[in-house]
């Protein structure tokens, strides 16, 4: 069954026991609030965790910055749909040997010459590409964002937060989120003097 941003917006209103809207462009307060928060909240929730459905990989050609031995000499441009890269490894696989790296704006600097396989969280905008559990998390996150300005009831914020916590817990329980996917090599890289951001 196809799902639309309007469906998601109406599910968020349902969490708050509010009436549905006909369009995100409708000139009513719920639609204005949801339209304001929808894209930013979606990107934020995708970025927070390593959602399995949103992990993509790209082989990227790099360039030698000529900065000398012992530094992160090779620069790679991140894919345009990248919200955030996942920790880099020599073979590009999540269980591979970690390599030192840092991110600056849309570039990754690392010690490995190219091409480099970069795994990343992609900015997927079509709700039909999302895992159902991510949709549940996004619904609750939107409900949290609009709860106070729409209802002016503190209790509704608590209801939305409870829905968010339950949805996120379900996502972790079903492995919809890759465990250790967020900066999982930090301690190892710090021990060897690497750079991880």
């Amino acid at each position: 069954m196809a799902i639309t941003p309007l469906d998601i917006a109406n599910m968020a209103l349902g969490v708050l026991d509010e009436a549905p809207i006909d369009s995100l462009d409708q000139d009513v307060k719920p639609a204005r609030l949801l339209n304001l928060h929808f894209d930013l909240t979606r990107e934020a929730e995708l970025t927070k965790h390593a959602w399995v459905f949103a992990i993509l990989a790209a082989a990227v050609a790099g360039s030698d910055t000529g900065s000398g031995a012992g530094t992160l000499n090779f620069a790679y441009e991140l894919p345009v749909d990248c919200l955030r890269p996942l920790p880099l490894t020599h073979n590009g696989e999540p269980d591979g040997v970690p390599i030192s790296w840092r991110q600056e704006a849309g570039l990754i600097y690392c010690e490995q010459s190219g091409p480099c396989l970069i795994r990343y969280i992609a900015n997927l905008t079509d709700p039909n590409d999302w895992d159902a559990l991510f949709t549940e998390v996004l619904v609750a996150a939107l409900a949290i964002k609009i709860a106070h300005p729409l209802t002016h009831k503190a209790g509704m914020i608590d209801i939305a937060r409870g829905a968010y916590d339950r949805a996120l817990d379900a996502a972790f329980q079903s492995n919809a989120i890759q465990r250790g996917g967020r900066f999982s090599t930090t301690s190892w890289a710090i021990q060897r003097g690497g750079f991880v951001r």
Side-chain angles (χ1 to χ4, degrees):
M1 176 178 109
I3 190 168
T4 67
L6 178 61
D7 295 327
I8 292 164
N10 281 327
M11 285 187 265
L13 290 170
V15 170
L16 303 175
D17 201 24
E18 293 286 322
I21 56 175
D22 297 324
S23 164
L24 281 168
D25 297 324
Q26 193 175 346
D27 191 19
V28 294
K29 189 174 186 177
R32 287 192 301 270
L33 286 168
L34 286 160
N35 198 24
L36 174 68
H37 291 289
F38 195 94
D39 287 333
L40 185 61
T41 304
R42 174 186 48 77
E43 287 186 22
E45 292 303 323
L46 278 169
T47 303
K48 283 180 185 177
H49 303 286
W51 290 94
V52 173
F53 77 91
I55 297 174
L56 298 181
V60 182
S63 60
D64 189 340
T65 63
S67 52
T71 62
L72 305 178
N73 293 337
F74 299 94
Y76 299 90
E77 192 170 323
L78 289 169
V80 294
D81 62 342
C82 176
L83 288 173
R84 75 172 170 91
L86 295 174
L88 289 154
T89 62
H90 278 285
N91 63 1
E93 295 299 321
D95 59 352
V97 176
I99 58 176
S100 295
W101 65 285
R102 74 175 186 276
Q103 180 181 356
E104 292 179 5
L107 295 174
I108 288 285
Y109 293 89
C110 72
E111 61 192 23
Q112 181 173 310
S113 61
C116 185
L117 186 64
I118 296 175
R119 296 173 67 250
Y120 64 96
I121 303 299
N123 188 13
L124 301 178
T125 59
D126 184 347
N128 297 293
D129 293 336
W130 305 340
D131 186 294
L133 293 168
F134 173 78
T135 300
E136 291 291 325
V137 168
L138 179 58
V139 163
L142 284 168
I144 292 168
K145 290 270 178 86
I146 67 169
H148 187 270
L150 183 61
T151 69
H152 302 289
K153 297 176 185 172
M156 285 305 192
I157 297 171
D158 294 337
I159 288 170
R161 283 197 178 124
Y164 181 86
D165 291 342
R166 288 188 301 277
L168 196 56
D169 185 54
F172 275 113
Q173 292 296 325
S174 67
N175 295 320
I177 296 171
Q178 179 181 302
R179 293 195 185 270
R182 182 167 179 108
F183 312 130
S184 60
T185 61
T186 301
S187 61
W188 189 88
I190 287 171
Q191 287 173 4
R192 65 187 291 254
F195 301 93
V196 177
R197 284 205 221 204

